[in-house]
Amino acid sequence: MRRKKIALVVGAGSVKCAAALGVQHVLQQAGIVPDLVVGCSGGALFATAIALGWSVAEATRLTQQLWTRELTGRRNNRALWQALFPKRLGFDGRFGLRDDQLILQRLNETFGQHTFAQTHLPLFITATDFGTGEQVVLRDGRLTDAIRASIAIPFVFAPWEVNACTERGRTGRLLVDGYLSDPLPINVAMREGADVIIALGFETPYQQNMDSPLRYAFQLSSIMSNSLLKARLAFYNLNHHSELLLLMPQFRQRIRLFDTAKFPAIIAAGEEAMAAQLPYLQSVIGERSSVIRSSITDNGLRITKHE
């Protein structure tokens, strides 16, 4: 009986993705090491931290320094004028209402010149091709470039060009936020032959006040993202090849985009979700085969099928 290949997938969810550190902490205590990690959008930050082998304390400190309200505090004045006078100022696909210089600086300070080749665990980061809408899986090159592309929030940050591998070879592709093609890219773990997939997903909160164009855009984005998440999960439920443990952490308070001060509570929610599923995961790892079974728990959905 061969050892089962385990994948950890961290979906889009902004600062709530820090729950992945809680999931990883529980797995470490149980002596379970994922064979690969997949990250999307905000989840790309924490998937990268896990793949690099950072401790929970180190990942918390560095991401708190990186992800602050200042990131969206600087307007991109040229983009505003381009929107008003597109023909005169040359409007193109590289449009974002916020200046991205600070986020680039923070990403470089946090990840430096690290590449995918330097991670302790195989890492895959997803983004979306702005020209075709296709999912793009990034697995080589600088980590900073991959993360910057994966978190290119529409209207907020401009799309990011990355030299990605395609069937036609390496080519420059303009990429936007990974959640636009799949908020929880379980399909990447499936393609990599994972026998057991631990998928950490989040619903995007809806706006409580519609008092600005940006909030209006975020509301539309939330509707689209949540609908896509449900549709993709229904598809994976029908088509996945093996064991899928879906974790949906329960937060006792509203978590906003820049609530990094709530990291301890977010990480604790991830620990709670993983701990509830741990006995089942341990039994799955030790079993020769699976039985068809599906059950709902407080912290997520367990889906298993016979291989």
Side-chain angles (χ1 to χ4, degrees):
M1 184 174 67
R2 68 178 180 84
R3 177 183 176 277
K4 292 190 175 182
K5 188 175 183 178
I6 304 171
L8 173 60
V9 181
V10 188
S14 66
V15 74
K16 291 182 292 187
C17 298
L21 301 180
V23 172
Q24 177 66 358
H25 185 228
V26 172
L27 292 176
Q28 285 179 337
Q29 288 185 319
I32 299 173
V33 180
D35 295 282
L36 63 110
V37 189
V38 183
C40 168
S41 193
L45 286 167
F46 299 96
T48 301
I50 291 170
L52 286 170
W54 291 353
S55 67
V56 171
E58 185 179 17
T60 299
R61 178 179 62 82
L62 290 171
T63 49
Q64 279 181 322
Q65 292 175 356
L66 187 158
W67 196 255
T68 66
R69 192 173 296 276
E70 295 175 300
L71 292 182
T72 58
R74 300 179 184 177
R75 291 180 180 177
N76 184 348
N77 293 320
R78 178 171 175 77
L80 292 172
W81 286 110
Q82 284 178 316
L84 293 172
F85 306 102
K87 293 183 178 179
R88 180 172 298 180
L89 296 178
F91 187 92
D92 61 16
R94 293 172 175 80
F95 174 79
L97 291 171
R98 298 300 179 186
D99 190 319
D100 66 353
Q101 291 303 306
L102 182 58
I103 193 170
L104 279 174
Q105 176 187 327
R106 296 276 178 84
L107 286 172
N108 281 316
E109 289 172 352
T110 304
F111 299 103
Q113 296 299 315
H114 281 89
T115 67
F116 282 83
Q118 294 171 295
T119 59
H120 295 284
L121 298 173
L123 172 66
F124 303 85
I125 292 177
T126 64
T128 304
D129 189 304
F130 189 54
T132 65
E134 296 175 323
Q135 181 187 72
V136 177
V137 182
L138 302 168
R139 62 185 72 186
D140 62 6
R142 293 177 68 238
L143 297 175
T144 292
D145 286 324
I147 296 170
R148 171 61 181 83
S150 191
I151 63 173
I153 306 170
F155 296 106
V156 179
F157 297 127
W160 191 249
E161 186 171 343
V162 175
N163 287 325
C165 291
T166 68
E167 293 179 357
R168 297 180 298 275
R170 294 189 64 83
T171 181
R173 303 181 77 174
L174 200 60
L175 305 179
V176 291
D177 204 307
Y179 84 87
L180 290 170
S181 52
D182 194 339
L184 187 57
I186 294 169
N187 62 312
V188 178
M190 292 170 62
R191 266 202 312 266
E192 292 301 314
D195 301 299
V196 181
I197 302 172
I198 304 168
L200 183 63
F202 312 90
E203 282 197 319
T204 305
Y206 297 106
Q207 298 297 309
Q208 294 179 322
N209 300 307
M210 215 70 62
D211 54 4
S212 72
L214 200 55
R215 286 184 180 274
Y216 181 85
F218 276 144
Q219 181 71 358
L220 293 175
S221 176
S222 297
I223 293 171
M224 181 196 68
S225 177
N226 290 335
S227 298
L228 180 58
L229 176 64
K230 293 171 185 176
R232 298 292 284 183
L233 285 176
F235 173 78
Y236 295 139
N237 185 18
L238 292 172
N239 292 279
H240 76 83
H241 66 300
S242 188
E243 307 282 353
L244 171 61
L245 277 70
L246 176 62
L247 306 182
M248 302 287 284
Q250 303 299 303
F251 300 101
R252 296 176 177 83
Q253 52 187 315
R254 185 177 176 84
I255 307 295
R256 293 180 173 83
L257 185 61
F258 294 102
D259 282 347
T260 53
K262 296 178 181 178
F263 262 24
I266 296 170
I267 293 171
E271 290 178 339
E272 182 181 347
M274 188 67 252
Q277 298 279 8
L278 184 61
Y280 178 76
L281 174 62
Q282 290 172 321
S283 68
V284 165
I285 293 172
E287 289 176 354
R288 183 178 297 274
S289 62
S290 313
V291 294
I292 299 176
R293 181 169 61 253
S294 176
S295 61
I296 298 290
T297 72
D298 291 337
N299 297 293
L301 172 66
R302 280 203 300 254
I303 307 170
T304 65
K305 285 187 179 180
H306 183 70
E307 291 181 313

PDB file of all heavy atoms in Angstrom, residues 195-228:
ATOM      1  N   ASP A 195      -4.059  12.366  -3.648  1.00  0.00           N
ATOM      2  CA  ASP A 195      -5.045  11.384  -3.203  1.00  0.00           C
ATOM      3  C   ASP A 195      -5.983  11.975  -2.160  1.00  0.00           C
ATOM      4  O   ASP A 195      -7.145  11.600  -2.074  1.00  0.00           O
ATOM      5  CB  ASP A 195      -4.351  10.159  -2.607  1.00  0.00           C
ATOM      6  CG  ASP A 195      -3.424   9.481  -3.597  1.00  0.00           C
ATOM      7  OD1 ASP A 195      -3.932   9.027  -4.641  1.00  0.00           O
ATOM      8  OD2 ASP A 195      -2.215   9.424  -3.345  1.00  0.00           O
ATOM      9  N   VAL A 196      -5.452  12.869  -1.350  1.00  0.00           N
ATOM     10  CA  VAL A 196      -6.223  13.518  -0.293  1.00  0.00           C
ATOM     11  C   VAL A 196      -6.039  15.027  -0.449  1.00  0.00           C
ATOM     12  O   VAL A 196      -4.909  15.521  -0.463  1.00  0.00           O
ATOM     13  CB  VAL A 196      -5.757  13.074   1.116  1.00  0.00           C
ATOM     14  CG1 VAL A 196      -6.592  13.761   2.192  1.00  0.00           C
ATOM     15  CG2 VAL A 196      -5.839  11.561   1.254  1.00  0.00           C
ATOM     16  N   ILE A 197      -7.144  15.750  -0.581  1.00  0.00           N
ATOM     17  CA  ILE A 197      -7.087  17.198  -0.782  1.00  0.00           C
ATOM     18  C   ILE A 197      -7.766  17.895   0.386  1.00  0.00           C
ATOM     19  O   ILE A 197      -8.953  17.679   0.647  1.00  0.00           O
ATOM     20  CB  ILE A 197      -7.771  17.607  -2.100  1.00  0.00           C
ATOM     21  CG1 ILE A 197      -7.115  16.898  -3.282  1.00  0.00           C
ATOM     22  CG2 ILE A 197      -7.719  19.122  -2.285  1.00  0.00           C
ATOM     23  CD1 ILE A 197      -7.856  17.094  -4.602  1.00  0.00           C
ATOM     24  N   ILE A 198      -6.985  18.710   1.104  1.00  0.00           N
ATOM     25  CA  ILE A 198      -7.529  19.547   2.176  1.00  0.00           C
ATOM     26  C   ILE A 198      -7.735  20.930   1.572  1.00  0.00           C
ATOM     27  O   ILE A 198      -6.766  21.606   1.216  1.00  0.00           O
ATOM     28  CB  ILE A 198      -6.560  19.616   3.373  1.00  0.00           C
ATOM     29  CG1 ILE A 198      -6.237  18.214   3.884  1.00  0.00           C
ATOM     30  CG2 ILE A 198      -7.152  20.477   4.490  1.00  0.00           C
ATOM     31  CD1 ILE A 198      -5.069  18.178   4.863  1.00  0.00           C
ATOM     32  N   ALA A 199      -8.983  21.337   1.409  1.00  0.00           N
ATOM     33  CA  ALA A 199      -9.304  22.587   0.722  1.00  0.00           C
ATOM     34  C   ALA A 199      -9.892  23.585   1.712  1.00  0.00           C
ATOM     35  O   ALA A 199     -10.927  23.322   2.327  1.00  0.00           O
ATOM     36  CB  ALA A 199     -10.280  22.327  -0.417  1.00  0.00           C
ATOM     37  N   LEU A 200      -9.230  24.716   1.856  1.00  0.00           N
ATOM     38  CA  LEU A 200      -9.656  25.764   2.778  1.00  0.00           C
ATOM     39  C   LEU A 200     -10.327  26.871   1.974  1.00  0.00           C
ATOM     40  O   LEU A 200      -9.671  27.578   1.198  1.00  0.00           O
ATOM     41  CB  LEU A 200      -8.442  26.303   3.535  1.00  0.00           C
ATOM     42  CG  LEU A 200      -8.689  27.364   4.607  1.00  0.00           C
ATOM     43  CD1 LEU A 200      -9.557  26.811   5.735  1.00  0.00           C
ATOM     44  CD2 LEU A 200      -7.361  27.868   5.164  1.00  0.00           C
ATOM     45  N   GLY A 201     -11.643  27.021   2.129  1.00  0.00           N
ATOM     46  CA  GLY A 201     -12.390  27.974   1.331  1.00  0.00           C
ATOM     47  C   GLY A 201     -13.137  28.995   2.166  1.00  0.00           C
ATOM     48  O   GLY A 201     -13.397  28.784   3.354  1.00  0.00           O
ATOM     49  N   PHE A 202     -13.502  30.101   1.524  1.00  0.00           N
ATOM     50  CA  PHE A 202     -14.181  31.200   2.211  1.00  0.00           C
ATOM     51  C   PHE A 202     -15.208  31.825   1.275  1.00  0.00           C
ATOM     52  O   PHE A 202     -14.942  31.997   0.086  1.00  0.00           O
ATOM     53  CB  PHE A 202     -13.186  32.292   2.625  1.00  0.00           C
ATOM     54  CG  PHE A 202     -11.961  31.785   3.316  1.00  0.00           C
ATOM     55  CD1 PHE A 202     -10.831  31.439   2.586  1.00  0.00           C
ATOM     56  CD2 PHE A 202     -11.939  31.625   4.689  1.00  0.00           C
ATOM     57  CE1 PHE A 202      -9.691  30.961   3.211  1.00  0.00           C
ATOM     58  CE2 PHE A 202     -10.803  31.143   5.326  1.00  0.00           C
ATOM     59  CZ  PHE A 202      -9.673  30.814   4.586  1.00  0.00           C
ATOM     60  N   GLU A 203     -16.343  32.186   1.835  1.00  0.00           N
ATOM     61  CA  GLU A 203     -17.287  33.002   1.079  1.00  0.00           C
ATOM     62  C   GLU A 203     -16.876  34.457   1.220  1.00  0.00           C
ATOM     63  O   GLU A 203     -16.434  34.893   2.286  1.00  0.00           O
ATOM     64  CB  GLU A 203     -18.707  32.796   1.583  1.00  0.00           C
ATOM     65  CG  GLU A 203     -19.342  31.514   1.089  1.00  0.00           C
ATOM     66  CD  GLU A 203     -20.843  31.513   1.231  1.00  0.00           C
ATOM     67  OE1 GLU A 203     -21.328  31.986   2.267  1.00  0.00           O
ATOM     68  OE2 GLU A 203     -21.521  31.035   0.308  1.00  0.00           O
ATOM     69  N   THR A 204     -17.017  35.227   0.146  1.00  0.00           N
ATOM     70  CA  THR A 204     -16.663  36.641   0.170  1.00  0.00           C
ATOM     71  C   THR A 204     -17.799  37.435   0.811  1.00  0.00           C
ATOM     72  O   THR A 204     -18.958  37.293   0.397  1.00  0.00           O
ATOM     73  CB  THR A 204     -16.426  37.161  -1.260  1.00  0.00           C
ATOM     74  OG1 THR A 204     -15.449  36.334  -1.889  1.00  0.00           O
ATOM     75  CG2 THR A 204     -15.936  38.597  -1.246  1.00  0.00           C
ATOM     76  N   PRO A 205     -17.525  38.264   1.821  1.00  0.00           N
ATOM     77  CA  PRO A 205     -18.603  39.021   2.480  1.00  0.00           C
ATOM     78  C   PRO A 205     -19.188  40.076   1.550  1.00  0.00           C
ATOM     79  O   PRO A 205     -18.491  40.633   0.700  1.00  0.00           O
ATOM     80  CB  PRO A 205     -17.896  39.666   3.680  1.00  0.00           C
ATOM     81  CG  PRO A 205     -16.457  39.763   3.271  1.00  0.00           C
ATOM     82  CD  PRO A 205     -16.204  38.566   2.406  1.00  0.00           C
ATOM     83  N   TYR A 206     -20.449  40.329   1.739  1.00  0.00           N
ATOM     84  CA  TYR A 206     -21.109  41.365   0.961  1.00  0.00           C
ATOM     85  C   TYR A 206     -20.963  42.719   1.669  1.00  0.00           C
ATOM     86  O   TYR A 206     -20.795  42.785   2.885  1.00  0.00           O
ATOM     87  CB  TYR A 206     -22.586  41.022   0.759  1.00  0.00           C
ATOM     88  CG  TYR A 206     -22.787  39.760  -0.039  1.00  0.00           C
ATOM     89  CD1 TYR A 206     -23.192  38.571   0.569  1.00  0.00           C
ATOM     90  CD2 TYR A 206     -22.545  39.743  -1.408  1.00  0.00           C
ATOM     91  CE1 TYR A 206     -23.353  37.406  -0.166  1.00  0.00           C
ATOM     92  CE2 TYR A 206     -22.706  38.580  -2.155  1.00  0.00           C
ATOM     93  CZ  TYR A 206     -23.107  37.419  -1.528  1.00  0.00           C
ATOM     94  OH  TYR A 206     -23.258  36.262  -2.251  1.00  0.00           O
ATOM     95  N   GLN A 207     -21.027  43.782   0.900  1.00  0.00           N
ATOM     96  CA  GLN A 207     -20.847  45.131   1.432  1.00  0.00           C
ATOM     97  C   GLN A 207     -22.080  45.545   2.248  1.00  0.00           C
ATOM     98  O   GLN A 207     -23.215  45.343   1.817  1.00  0.00           O
ATOM     99  CB  GLN A 207     -20.623  46.125   0.294  1.00  0.00           C
ATOM    100  CG  GLN A 207     -19.374  45.855  -0.525  1.00  0.00           C
ATOM    101  CD  GLN A 207     -18.108  45.980   0.287  1.00  0.00           C
ATOM    102  OE1 GLN A 207     -17.899  46.984   0.961  1.00  0.00           O
ATOM    103  NE2 GLN A 207     -17.267  44.969   0.223  1.00  0.00           N
ATOM    104  N   GLN A 208     -21.838  46.129   3.407  1.00  0.00           N
ATOM    105  CA  GLN A 208     -22.940  46.589   4.241  1.00  0.00           C
ATOM    106  C   GLN A 208     -23.434  47.963   3.804  1.00  0.00           C
ATOM    107  O   GLN A 208     -24.607  48.296   3.988  1.00  0.00           O
ATOM    108  CB  GLN A 208     -22.499  46.629   5.709  1.00  0.00           C
ATOM    109  CG  GLN A 208     -22.194  45.243   6.275  1.00  0.00           C
ATOM    110  CD  GLN A 208     -21.748  45.295   7.718  1.00  0.00           C
ATOM    111  OE1 GLN A 208     -21.024  46.206   8.138  1.00  0.00           O
ATOM    112  NE2 GLN A 208     -22.173  44.318   8.506  1.00  0.00           N
ATOM    113  N   ASN A 209     -22.532  48.768   3.232  1.00  0.00           N
ATOM    114  CA  ASN A 209     -22.897  50.094   2.751  1.00  0.00           C
ATOM    115  C   ASN A 209     -22.440  50.239   1.300  1.00  0.00           C
ATOM    116  O   ASN A 209     -21.342  49.822   0.947  1.00  0.00           O
ATOM    117  CB  ASN A 209     -22.239  51.189   3.594  1.00  0.00           C
ATOM    118  CG  ASN A 209     -22.659  51.113   5.051  1.00  0.00           C
ATOM    119  OD1 ASN A 209     -23.854  51.101   5.354  1.00  0.00           O
ATOM    120  ND2 ASN A 209     -21.696  51.048   5.954  1.00  0.00           N
ATOM    121  N   MET A 210     -23.267  50.830   0.483  1.00  0.00           N
ATOM    122  CA  MET A 210     -22.935  51.041  -0.925  1.00  0.00           C
ATOM    123  C   MET A 210     -22.712  52.539  -1.145  1.00  0.00           C
ATOM    124  O   MET A 210     -23.412  53.200  -1.899  1.00  0.00           O
ATOM    125  CB  MET A 210     -24.067  50.535  -1.809  1.00  0.00           C
ATOM    126  CG  MET A 210     -23.583  49.924  -3.105  1.00  0.00           C
ATOM    127  SD  MET A 210     -22.728  48.352  -2.858  1.00  0.00           S
ATOM    128  CE  MET A 210     -24.033  47.363  -2.147  1.00  0.00           C
ATOM    129  N   ASP A 211     -21.688  53.084  -0.469  1.00  0.00           N
ATOM    130  CA  ASP A 211     -21.514  54.533  -0.444  1.00  0.00           C
ATOM    131  C   ASP A 211     -20.346  55.022  -1.292  1.00  0.00           C
ATOM    132  O   ASP A 211     -19.917  56.166  -1.174  1.00  0.00           O
ATOM    133  CB  ASP A 211     -21.342  55.021   1.001  1.00  0.00           C
ATOM    134  CG  ASP A 211     -20.225  54.296   1.737  1.00  0.00           C
ATOM    135  OD1 ASP A 211     -19.531  53.470   1.100  1.00  0.00           O
ATOM    136  OD2 ASP A 211     -20.046  54.539   2.944  1.00  0.00           O
ATOM    137  N   SER A 212     -19.810  54.152  -2.163  1.00  0.00           N
ATOM    138  CA  SER A 212     -18.727  54.575  -3.047  1.00  0.00           C
ATOM    139  C   SER A 212     -18.686  53.653  -4.259  1.00  0.00           C
ATOM    140  O   SER A 212     -19.151  52.506  -4.192  1.00  0.00           O
ATOM    141  CB  SER A 212     -17.381  54.538  -2.322  1.00  0.00           C
ATOM    142  OG  SER A 212     -16.958  53.204  -2.111  1.00  0.00           O
ATOM    143  N   PRO A 213     -18.140  54.141  -5.381  1.00  0.00           N
ATOM    144  CA  PRO A 213     -18.024  53.278  -6.565  1.00  0.00           C
ATOM    145  C   PRO A 213     -17.204  52.025  -6.295  1.00  0.00           C
ATOM    146  O   PRO A 213     -17.478  50.957  -6.846  1.00  0.00           O
ATOM    147  CB  PRO A 213     -17.337  54.187  -7.589  1.00  0.00           C
ATOM    148  CG  PRO A 213     -17.670  55.569  -7.155  1.00  0.00           C
ATOM    149  CD  PRO A 213     -17.703  55.523  -5.657  1.00  0.00           C
ATOM    150  N   LEU A 214     -16.173  52.138  -5.423  1.00  0.00           N
ATOM    151  CA  LEU A 214     -15.330  50.990  -5.132  1.00  0.00           C
ATOM    152  C   LEU A 214     -16.118  49.918  -4.366  1.00  0.00           C
ATOM    153  O   LEU A 214     -15.986  48.718  -4.632  1.00  0.00           O
ATOM    154  CB  LEU A 214     -14.104  51.427  -4.335  1.00  0.00           C
ATOM    155  CG  LEU A 214     -12.900  50.477  -4.352  1.00  0.00           C
ATOM    156  CD1 LEU A 214     -12.456  50.169  -5.783  1.00  0.00           C
ATOM    157  CD2 LEU A 214     -11.739  51.076  -3.558  1.00  0.00           C
ATOM    158  N   ARG A 215     -16.947  50.343  -3.410  1.00  0.00           N
ATOM    159  CA  ARG A 215     -17.787  49.386  -2.689  1.00  0.00           C
ATOM    160  C   ARG A 215     -18.794  48.731  -3.632  1.00  0.00           C
ATOM    161  O   ARG A 215     -19.114  47.551  -3.506  1.00  0.00           O
ATOM    162  CB  ARG A 215     -18.519  50.082  -1.536  1.00  0.00           C
ATOM    163  CG  ARG A 215     -17.633  50.408  -0.345  1.00  0.00           C
ATOM    164  CD  ARG A 215     -18.447  51.002   0.789  1.00  0.00           C
ATOM    165  NE  ARG A 215     -17.620  51.319   1.934  1.00  0.00           N
ATOM    166  CZ  ARG A 215     -17.297  50.467   2.895  1.00  0.00           C
ATOM    167  NH1 ARG A 215     -17.740  49.217   2.817  1.00  0.00           N
ATOM    168  NH2 ARG A 215     -16.535  50.834   3.908  1.00  0.00           N
ATOM    169  N   TYR A 216     -19.281  49.512  -4.573  1.00  0.00           N
ATOM    170  CA  TYR A 216     -20.203  48.985  -5.580  1.00  0.00           C
ATOM    171  C   TYR A 216     -19.507  47.883  -6.388  1.00  0.00           C
ATOM    172  O   TYR A 216     -20.078  46.804  -6.631  1.00  0.00           O
ATOM    173  CB  TYR A 216     -20.652  50.128  -6.484  1.00  0.00           C
ATOM    174  CG  TYR A 216     -21.622  49.734  -7.567  1.00  0.00           C
ATOM    175  CD1 TYR A 216     -22.995  49.665  -7.323  1.00  0.00           C
ATOM    176  CD2 TYR A 216     -21.165  49.426  -8.851  1.00  0.00           C
ATOM    177  CE1 TYR A 216     -23.883  49.307  -8.326  1.00  0.00           C
ATOM    178  CE2 TYR A 216     -22.049  49.066  -9.858  1.00  0.00           C
ATOM    179  CZ  TYR A 216     -23.402  49.009  -9.591  1.00  0.00           C
ATOM    180  OH  TYR A 216     -24.275  48.653 -10.580  1.00  0.00           O
ATOM    181  N   ALA A 217     -18.260  48.161  -6.795  1.00  0.00           N
ATOM    182  CA  ALA A 217     -17.498  47.166  -7.552  1.00  0.00           C
ATOM    183  C   ALA A 217     -17.220  45.926  -6.707  1.00  0.00           C
ATOM    184  O   ALA A 217     -17.303  44.787  -7.192  1.00  0.00           O
ATOM    185  CB  ALA A 217     -16.184  47.783  -8.034  1.00  0.00           C
ATOM    186  N   PHE A 218     -16.894  46.127  -5.413  1.00  0.00           N
ATOM    187  CA  PHE A 218     -16.645  44.994  -4.517  1.00  0.00           C
ATOM    188  C   PHE A 218     -17.895  44.135  -4.350  1.00  0.00           C
ATOM    189  O   PHE A 218     -17.812  42.911  -4.242  1.00  0.00           O
ATOM    190  CB  PHE A 218     -16.171  45.487  -3.147  1.00  0.00           C
ATOM    191  CG  PHE A 218     -14.701  45.761  -3.074  1.00  0.00           C
ATOM    192  CD1 PHE A 218     -14.210  46.812  -2.306  1.00  0.00           C
ATOM    193  CD2 PHE A 218     -13.786  44.977  -3.754  1.00  0.00           C
ATOM    194  CE1 PHE A 218     -12.843  47.067  -2.230  1.00  0.00           C
ATOM    195  CE2 PHE A 218     -12.422  45.218  -3.684  1.00  0.00           C
ATOM    196  CZ  PHE A 218     -11.958  46.268  -2.918  1.00  0.00           C
ATOM    197  N   GLN A 219     -19.063  44.782  -4.290  1.00  0.00           N
ATOM    198  CA  GLN A 219     -20.309  44.015  -4.145  1.00  0.00           C
ATOM    199  C   GLN A 219     -20.544  43.118  -5.356  1.00  0.00           C
ATOM    200  O   GLN A 219     -20.891  41.941  -5.212  1.00  0.00           O
ATOM    201  CB  GLN A 219     -21.488  44.976  -3.957  1.00  0.00           C
ATOM    202  CG  GLN A 219     -22.839  44.294  -3.779  1.00  0.00           C
ATOM    203  CD  GLN A 219     -22.981  43.591  -2.442  1.00  0.00           C
ATOM    204  OE1 GLN A 219     -22.048  43.580  -1.632  1.00  0.00           O
ATOM    205  NE2 GLN A 219     -24.131  42.996  -2.195  1.00  0.00           N
ATOM    206  N   LEU A 220     -20.352  43.670  -6.544  1.00  0.00           N
ATOM    207  CA  LEU A 220     -20.494  42.866  -7.758  1.00  0.00           C
ATOM    208  C   LEU A 220     -19.490  41.717  -7.766  1.00  0.00           C
ATOM    209  O   LEU A 220     -19.806  40.587  -8.153  1.00  0.00           O
ATOM    210  CB  LEU A 220     -20.297  43.748  -8.990  1.00  0.00           C
ATOM    211  CG  LEU A 220     -21.362  44.820  -9.243  1.00  0.00           C
ATOM    212  CD1 LEU A 220     -20.964  45.677 -10.431  1.00  0.00           C
ATOM    213  CD2 LEU A 220     -22.728  44.194  -9.466  1.00  0.00           C
ATOM    214  N   SER A 221     -18.271  42.019  -7.314  1.00  0.00           N
ATOM    215  CA  SER A 221     -17.226  41.002  -7.260  1.00  0.00           C
ATOM    216  C   SER A 221     -17.603  39.889  -6.282  1.00  0.00           C
ATOM    217  O   SER A 221     -17.379  38.705  -6.554  1.00  0.00           O
ATOM    218  CB  SER A 221     -15.902  41.651  -6.844  1.00  0.00           C
ATOM    219  OG  SER A 221     -14.894  40.687  -6.693  1.00  0.00           O
ATOM    220  N   SER A 222     -18.180  40.254  -5.136  1.00  0.00           N
ATOM    221  CA  SER A 222     -18.580  39.260  -4.132  1.00  0.00           C
ATOM    222  C   SER A 222     -19.665  38.340  -4.669  1.00  0.00           C
ATOM    223  O   SER A 222     -19.630  37.121  -4.462  1.00  0.00           O
ATOM    224  CB  SER A 222     -19.073  39.960  -2.858  1.00  0.00           C
ATOM    225  OG  SER A 222     -18.042  40.712  -2.263  1.00  0.00           O
ATOM    226  N   ILE A 223     -20.639  38.921  -5.350  1.00  0.00           N
ATOM    227  CA  ILE A 223     -21.723  38.116  -5.918  1.00  0.00           C
ATOM    228  C   ILE A 223     -21.158  37.100  -6.907  1.00  0.00           C
ATOM    229  O   ILE A 223     -21.502  35.912  -6.884  1.00  0.00           O
ATOM    230  CB  ILE A 223     -22.758  39.028  -6.599  1.00  0.00           C
ATOM    231  CG1 ILE A 223     -23.482  39.883  -5.556  1.00  0.00           C
ATOM    232  CG2 ILE A 223     -23.770  38.195  -7.392  1.00  0.00           C
ATOM    233  CD1 ILE A 223     -24.358  40.973  -6.148  1.00  0.00           C
ATOM    234  N   MET A 224     -20.289  37.573  -7.787  1.00  0.00           N
ATOM    235  CA  MET A 224     -19.711  36.707  -8.802  1.00  0.00           C
ATOM    236  C   MET A 224     -18.843  35.622  -8.161  1.00  0.00           C
ATOM    237  O   MET A 224     -18.930  34.437  -8.517  1.00  0.00           O
ATOM    238  CB  MET A 224     -18.872  37.522  -9.774  1.00  0.00           C
ATOM    239  CG  MET A 224     -18.254  36.704 -10.886  1.00  0.00           C
ATOM    240  SD  MET A 224     -16.929  37.577 -11.718  1.00  0.00           S
ATOM    241  CE  MET A 224     -15.699  37.626 -10.425  1.00  0.00           C
ATOM    242  N   SER A 225     -17.995  36.018  -7.204  1.00  0.00           N
ATOM    243  CA  SER A 225     -17.076  35.083  -6.576  1.00  0.00           C
ATOM    244  C   SER A 225     -17.809  33.975  -5.827  1.00  0.00           C
ATOM    245  O   SER A 225     -17.469  32.789  -5.944  1.00  0.00           O
ATOM    246  CB  SER A 225     -16.139  35.834  -5.627  1.00  0.00           C
ATOM    247  OG  SER A 225     -15.281  34.939  -4.960  1.00  0.00           O
ATOM    248  N   ASN A 226     -18.828  34.336  -5.047  1.00  0.00           N
ATOM    249  CA  ASN A 226     -19.560  33.337  -4.275  1.00  0.00           C
ATOM    250  C   ASN A 226     -20.337  32.391  -5.177  1.00  0.00           C
ATOM    251  O   ASN A 226     -20.422  31.188  -4.914  1.00  0.00           O
ATOM    252  CB  ASN A 226     -20.501  34.027  -3.282  1.00  0.00           C
ATOM    253  CG  ASN A 226     -19.743  34.710  -2.157  1.00  0.00           C
ATOM    254  OD1 ASN A 226     -18.626  34.332  -1.825  1.00  0.00           O
ATOM    255  ND2 ASN A 226     -20.344  35.728  -1.566  1.00  0.00           N
ATOM    256  N   SER A 227     -20.898  32.915  -6.254  1.00  0.00           N
ATOM    257  CA  SER A 227     -21.622  32.063  -7.199  1.00  0.00           C
ATOM    258  C   SER A 227     -20.671  31.087  -7.884  1.00  0.00           C
ATOM    259  O   SER A 227     -20.983  29.900  -8.048  1.00  0.00           O
ATOM    260  CB  SER A 227     -22.338  32.920  -8.243  1.00  0.00           C
ATOM    261  OG  SER A 227     -23.302  33.754  -7.633  1.00  0.00           O
ATOM    262  N   LEU A 228     -19.487  31.586  -8.256  1.00  0.00           N
ATOM    263  CA  LEU A 228     -18.497  30.729  -8.904  1.00  0.00           C
ATOM    264  C   LEU A 228     -17.992  29.661  -7.944  1.00  0.00           C
ATOM    265  O   LEU A 228     -17.811  28.500  -8.334  1.00  0.00           O
ATOM    266  CB  LEU A 228     -17.324  31.581  -9.403  1.00  0.00           C
ATOM    267  CG  LEU A 228     -16.181  30.850 -10.115  1.00  0.00           C
ATOM    268  CD1 LEU A 228     -16.693  30.092 -11.330  1.00  0.00           C
ATOM    269  CD2 LEU A 228     -15.093  31.842 -10.520  1.00  0.00           C
TER     270      LEU A 228
END
